[in-house]
């Protein structure tokens, strides 16, 4: 915020503070000075750094209030030479010659308009030109300059229309029509969307609400009657339009930080008074007002004892109340001195809690008077569950040869579409700097594929191939417009041998799950048609943990691999991180070492190619062989010996009796029962 010291002194009594004193006061109050430029005469321009929540200080009056509180001077606002509500007593009322309709009260809490007839357009007086030039503004004419002066004086953006150019003697606040044009004051023609708010007359849009005015209704040398607009808008509405249209204005910056409806009247009346003084004319009585200013006041109780504990020093209750009053806060100390009842002024929407008031007391009392301890007491708390799970996953995967990546959340739109499930839309941003990659990724996999391609081009070729993982947020938009955001674990494995890559991916998922939940957690892989265009239909499967769907694993298509320039196949997987976090902590069971040996039997059964291991396991266990301790998968064989369309699956049955040594003749009937069950349910035959 560029601030003229000479201008700022107008709101201090007795005033007369030099640049050094003003800069020191602002810095003590928590507003660093970025730079200083001395100007001719007793003036200097200070570039004051402001935080985003202090929109009230984006004007000279707001900063003067802070300087007054820091220096003990009295803050004073400019006086209005007529009744703010009624006007100076003209021959006509504004409401009799013009009308305002607010069709978007949810986006425009309050819109006011005043009419001045018979103004004389010309150059601005020297004092106004000098003030505006000090803060980097070019003088246009006395009416436009007066509006800009109020902006930098009080922080209330206003706009002036040439009344003769407004068609239908009516202003309508409404949402724009899709494709509606507007020639703006920045010299560009903008095409509007239906989610952008405009101020219109009865035929067309004449300004983009809170952002910029239109050229066709601007004040010119031919103007004689003007309409003064003073309004406030929902910050998100202003911000959305300004970002999409790439329009940055001083008014938009202030509206984006919220302008309270209760501050409008004084600023509008002040503007009218200045125009009458420098341009003449007659101000019609009253204001056309659409949308009432809120009557409720934010009331917060400050406990002096709590304030002392937070600051580490004792500030007498009466002194705390005085500090708050110096900032325009109504503060009344209770009779017992235990509470200061504070009424927050309209210009301070950032004050919502007791701790906010404590900060204000500290600023005015002097942050340099708050002691700094040589030692900081640290309260050690248990690590967050998500952070603990993420660390466990990272430790497990790096132990399995993976490298962790940190990639950007934006990708090309075609990349995002290839990894978008049905019923979802790509979530995009419209900012100019993201023109090439505007899509928020719905999957982390395309980022891992990019990373692999970069390493391939750099000649990275470790033994066993490259393995990558990342935990990151993914985004999509549902058909109903709701934004979906999840945090996922994504895996990438080089897979020149597709079967091996598939098995390794499943093994990695099981290792991660068991590290989080313990060895008892059950991981199931269920083949299914691919839900992504980038994955193969014949190599896609859902992943379930303890019968809950948590993600998928897949092989990417040749087209996807070629699109990234990869020379080898790729196995990928993506698991919902929230589902993994819920598995913690791992459950372990301790049991004594077996006292008697086990008997192991390997069975190689020939089944149809489409038969899944899950089916083989299910049927074998359903046979309920006595004393079965464990059933393991050993391997798969395909070849001429088993025939086309067939495969040989080898499983290992482990039997044990905890009380004695088993005999083989006791195990044989159990094995035969399993073989029979596999034959009857799956058509399996023992491989010769």
């Amino acid at each position: 915020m560029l601030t003229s010291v000479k201008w700022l002194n107008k709101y201090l009594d007795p005033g007369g503070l030099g640049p050094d004193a003003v800069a020191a006061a602002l810095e003590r109050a928590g507003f660093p000075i970025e730079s200083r430029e001395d100007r001719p005469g007793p003036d200097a321009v200070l570039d004051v750094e402001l935080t985003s929540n202090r929109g009230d200080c984006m004007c000279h009056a707001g900063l003067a209030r802070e300087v007054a509180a820091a220096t003990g001077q009295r803050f004073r606002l400019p006086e209005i030479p007529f009744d703010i509500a009624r006007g100076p007593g003209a021959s006509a009322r504004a409401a009799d010659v013009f009308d305002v309709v607010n069709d978007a009260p949810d986006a425009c809490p309050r819109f006011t308009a005043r009419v001045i007839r018979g103004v004389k357009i010309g150059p601005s007086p020297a004092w106004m030109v000098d003030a505006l030039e000090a803060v980097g503004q070019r003088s246009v004419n006395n009416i436009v300059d007066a509006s800009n002066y109020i902006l930098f004086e009080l922080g209330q953006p206003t706009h002036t229309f040439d009344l003769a150019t407004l068609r239908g003697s009516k202003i309508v606040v409404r949402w724009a029509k899709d494709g509606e044009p507007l020639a703006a004051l920045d010299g560009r023609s903008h095409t509007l969307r239906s989610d952008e708010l405009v101020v219109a007359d009865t035929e067309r849009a004449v300004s983009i609400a809170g952002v910029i005015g239109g050229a066709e209704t601007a004040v010119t040398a031919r103007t004689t009657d003007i309409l003064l607009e003073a309004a406030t808008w929902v910050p998100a509405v202003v911000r959305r339009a300004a970002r999409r249209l790439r329009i940055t204005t001083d008014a938009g910056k202030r509206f984006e930080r919220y302008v309270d409806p209760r501050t409008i009247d004084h600023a509008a009346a002040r503007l009218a008074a200045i125009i009458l003084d420098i341009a003449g004319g007659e101000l019609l009585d009253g204001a056309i007002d659409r949308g009432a200013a809120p009557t409720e006041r934010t009331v917060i109780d400050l406990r002096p004892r709590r304030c002392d504990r937070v600051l580490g020093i004792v500030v007498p209750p009466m002194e705390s109340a005085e500090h708050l009053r110096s900032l325009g806060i109504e503060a009344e100390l209770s009779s017992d001195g235990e509470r200061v009842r504070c009424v927050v002024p309209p210009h301070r929407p950032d004050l919502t809690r007791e701790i906010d008031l404590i900060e204000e007391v500290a600023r005015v009392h002097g942050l340099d008077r708050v002691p700094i301890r040589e030692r900081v007491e640290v309260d050690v708390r248990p690590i967050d569950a998500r952070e603990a799970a993420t660390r466990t996953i990272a430790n497990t995967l790096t132990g399995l040869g993976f490298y962790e990546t940190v990639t950007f959340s934006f990708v090309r739109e075609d990349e995002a579409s290839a990894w978008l499930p049905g019923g979802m839309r790509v979530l995009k941003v419209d900012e100019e700097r993201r023109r090439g990659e505007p899509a928020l990724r719905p999957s982390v996999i395309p980022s891992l594929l990019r990373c692999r391609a970069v390493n391939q081009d750099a000649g990275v070729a470790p033994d066993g191939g490259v393995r990558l993982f990342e935990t990151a947020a993914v985004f999509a938009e549902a058909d109903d417009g709701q934004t979906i955001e999840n945090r996922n674990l994504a895996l990438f494995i080089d897979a020149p041998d597709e079967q091996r890559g598939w098995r390794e991916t499943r093994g990695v998922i099981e290792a991660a799950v068991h590290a989080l939940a313990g060895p008892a957690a059950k991981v199931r892989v269920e083949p299914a048609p691919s839900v992504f265009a980038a994955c193969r239909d014949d190599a896609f499967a859902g992943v379930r943990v303890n019968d809950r769907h948590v993600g998928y694993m897949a092989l990417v298509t040749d087209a996807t691999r070629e699109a990234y320039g990869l020379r080898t196949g790729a196995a990928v997987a993506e698991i919902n991180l929230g589902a993994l976090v819920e598995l913690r902590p791992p459950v372990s069971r301790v049991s004594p070492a077996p006292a008697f040996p086990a008997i192991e039997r390997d069975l190689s059964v020939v089944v149809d190619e489409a038969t899944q291991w899950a089916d083989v396991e299910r049927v074998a266990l359903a046979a309920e062989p006595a004393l079965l301790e464990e059933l393991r998968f050993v391997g798969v064989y395909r070849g001429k010996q088993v025939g086309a369309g067939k495969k040989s699956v080898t499983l290992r049955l482990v039997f044990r009796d905890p009380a004695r040594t088993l005999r083989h003749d006791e195990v044989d009937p159990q094995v035969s029962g399993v073989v029979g069950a596999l034959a009857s349910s799956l058509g399996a035959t023992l491989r010769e």
Side-chain angles (χ1 to χ4, degrees):
M1 166 69 189
L2 294 180
T3 306
S4 164
V5 172
K6 178 181 177 182
W7 192 348
L8 184 146
N9 269 289
K10 293 181 179 181
Y11 315 109
L12 299 176
D13 188 10
L17 296 180
D20 292 337
V22 171
L26 289 173
E27 288 184 331
R28 284 199 308 273
F31 300 97
I33 306 300
E34 291 286 315
S35 64
R36 169 177 167 173
E37 179 186 354
D38 291 323
R39 303 185 73 236
D43 192 15
V45 176
L46 305 178
D47 188 356
V48 184
E49 181 181 336
L50 304 176
T51 54
S52 60
N53 65 324
R54 293 303 304 272
D56 63 297
C57 287
M58 296 184 73
C59 62
H60 285 77
L63 290 175
R65 186 182 289 108
E66 294 289 334
V67 172
T71 60
Q73 295 215 4
R74 188 170 69 89
F75 171 73
R76 59 182 182 185
L77 280 174
E79 295 183 358
I80 310 299
F82 52 79
D83 185 277
I84 290 178
R86 291 190 304 171
S91 58
R93 296 176 62 251
D96 294 334
V97 300
F98 208 82
D99 191 19
V100 173
V101 176
N102 186 356
D103 285 338
D106 291 340
C108 175
R110 192 178 183 208
F111 188 101
T112 68
R114 297 171 186 250
V115 176
I116 302 181
R117 286 173 167 171
V119 297
K120 183 177 181 181
I121 308 301
S124 297
W127 63 267
M128 181 175 287
V129 174
D130 182 67
L132 292 176
E133 287 182 348
V135 294
Q137 296 296 303
R138 177 179 59 87
S139 177
V140 179
N141 58 51
N142 49 1
I143 303 300
V144 174
D145 289 355
S147 179
N148 288 334
Y149 187 85
I150 292 300
L151 173 69
F152 288 96
E153 179 184 60
L154 301 176
Q156 168 69 53
T158 58
H159 188 65
T160 54
F161 296 95
D162 184 337
L163 191 63
T165 63
L166 295 173
R167 300 169 186 170
S169 298
K170 181 187 293 186
I171 280 287
V172 181
V173 180
R174 60 170 172 81
W175 295 104
K177 304 168 186 175
D178 270 326
E180 186 171 12
L182 175 71
L185 289 171
D186 60 2
R188 294 188 294 161
S189 181
H190 301 282
T191 301
L192 307 179
R193 297 193 318 198
S194 59
D195 62 347
E196 291 161 351
L197 198 65
V198 298
V199 176
D201 58 20
T202 57
E203 299 180 15
R204 70 219 159 131
V206 295
S207 74
I208 303 172
V211 180
I212 195 169
E216 295 181 359
T217 56
V219 172
T220 67
R222 298 186 299 273
T223 301
T224 57
D225 300 335
I226 59 175
L227 182 81
L228 307 184
E229 168 203 314
T232 186
W233 320 93
V234 171
V237 173
V238 177
R239 187 179 303 114
R240 181 172 59 234
R243 298 288 171 84
R244 188 188 75 83
L245 298 172
R246 300 192 298 278
I247 301 174
T248 301
T249 60
D250 292 307
K253 290 177 183 178
R254 285 155 179 81
F255 281 129
E256 287 181 17
R257 287 160 177 78
Y258 184 70
V259 173
D260 194 286
R262 291 169 291 187
T263 64
I264 289 176
D265 292 329
H266 182 272
R270 168 70 169 157
L271 172 59
I274 290 178
I275 290 176
L276 294 177
D277 182 48
I278 66 176
E282 179 187 34
L283 173 65
L284 301 193
D285 278 350
I288 309 163
D289 193 343
R290 298 295 180 263
T295 57
E296 68 276 7
R297 305 285 297 274
T298 301
V299 179
I300 308 172
D301 285 342
L302 172 69
R303 295 166 292 175
R305 292 185 182 180
R306 172 64 177 164
C307 182
D308 294 345
R309 285 198 300 271
V310 172
L311 300 182
I313 58 175
V314 176
V315 181
M318 184 58 73
E319 191 172 344
S320 293
E322 287 298 328
H323 290 335
L324 295 172
R325 291 190 194 107
S326 70
L327 295 172
I329 301 169
E330 297 178 21
E332 182 179 349
L333 182 64
S334 63
S335 58
D336 58 5
E338 293 296 320
R339 290 184 181 275
V340 179
R341 192 164 187 78
C342 301
V343 180
V344 178
H347 66 271
R348 290 300 303 273
D350 58 305
L351 302 180
T352 60
R353 305 171 299 167
E354 181 185 32
I355 194 66
D356 298 329
L357 297 178
I358 293 174
E359 181 182 359
E360 297 304 291
V361 170
R363 289 195 312 111
V364 179
H365 190 70
L367 295 173
D368 56 333
R369 299 170 67 180
V370 178
I372 300 175
R373 295 184 179 180
E374 295 182 0
R375 296 182 180 181
V376 178
E377 297 180 2
V378 178
D379 184 11
V380 180
R381 298 184 178 182
I383 190 171
D384 177 74
R386 175 173 292 185
E387 178 65 23
T390 304
R391 289 185 185 180
T392 299
I393 292 170
N395 291 337
T396 302
L397 295 179
T398 52
L400 294 172
F402 280 79
Y403 290 90
E404 184 172 11
T405 68
V406 179
T407 55
F408 204 40
S409 297
F410 289 94
V411 296
R412 298 191 311 269
E413 190 170 356
D414 61 313
E415 287 183 288
S417 298
W419 294 92
L420 195 68
M424 295 289 176
R425 296 194 297 263
V426 175
L427 196 62
K428 297 187 296 181
V429 297
D430 295 327
E431 291 190 22
E432 177 71 19
R433 54 187 167 184
R434 295 255 51 88
R435 180 179 294 177
E437 298 176 348
L440 283 163
R441 59 187 177 191
S443 166
V444 189
I445 301 300
S447 301
L448 297 186
L449 295 174
R450 280 190 183 190
C451 186
R452 179 63 186 103
V454 170
N455 281 275
Q456 173 186 275
D457 295 342
V460 176
D463 293 340
V466 171
R467 296 182 169 196
L468 306 173
F469 81 95
E470 182 171 345
T471 54
V474 296
F475 309 86
E477 186 177 49
D479 287 338
D480 61 2
Q482 181 180 2
T483 299
I484 308 298
E485 179 180 351
N486 288 313
R487 194 165 180 83
N488 290 352
L489 164 68
L491 305 173
F492 170 93
I493 296 178
D494 277 346
D497 182 331
E498 294 178 349
Q499 288 293 333
R500 180 176 178 180
W502 183 266
R503 291 195 297 269
E504 288 180 347
T505 302
R506 172 170 180 161
V508 168
I509 294 173
E510 289 182 341
V513 169
H514 291 156
L516 290 170
K522 299 296 183 183
V523 179
R524 278 191 71 186
V525 174
E526 300 176 339
S530 174
V531 298
F532 306 118
C535 298
R536 287 169 44 176
D537 270 329
D538 62 344
F540 186 91
V543 177
R544 302 184 71 87
V545 176
N546 296 337
D547 291 327
R548 176 184 177 184
H549 178 78
V550 298
Y552 67 91
M553 56 181 289
L555 297 178
V556 301
T557 63
D558 291 341
T560 300
R561 178 176 56 79
E562 292 168 1
Y564 289 90
L566 298 179
R567 294 189 289 269
T568 185
V572 298
E574 198 158 18
I575 310 296
N576 182 273
L577 187 62
L580 294 180
V581 171
E582 293 178 8
L583 297 174
R584 293 186 69 256
V587 177
S588 300
R589 293 184 177 89
V590 179
S591 58
F596 300 94
I599 293 179
E600 297 181 355
R601 295 287 181 88
D602 285 356
L603 296 178
S604 294
V605 294
V606 178
V607 295
D608 292 336
E609 179 65 50
T611 303
Q612 303 175 22
W613 162 251
D615 295 329
V616 175
E617 181 183 39
R618 175 179 52 77
V619 172
L621 293 176
E624 298 183 348
L627 301 176
L628 179 68
E629 181 180 77
E630 186 180 0
L631 173 63
R632 301 178 197 162
F633 170 80
V634 177
V636 176
Y637 171 77
R638 295 174 177 84
K640 294 181 180 180
Q641 294 180 350
V642 298
K646 300 286 186 177
K647 62 183 176 183
S648 172
V649 179
T650 301
L651 58 152
R652 179 165 298 160
L653 304 172
V654 181
F655 297 90
R656 192 192 307 271
D657 190 325
R660 61 184 179 85
T661 300
L662 275 178
R663 299 191 309 274
H664 284 276
D665 58 352
E666 294 177 288
V667 171
D668 291 339
Q670 315 305 323
V671 175
S672 297
V674 171
V675 172
L678 292 172
S680 61
S681 297
L682 303 177
T685 59
L686 282 175
R687 179 182 167 193
E688 297 179 357

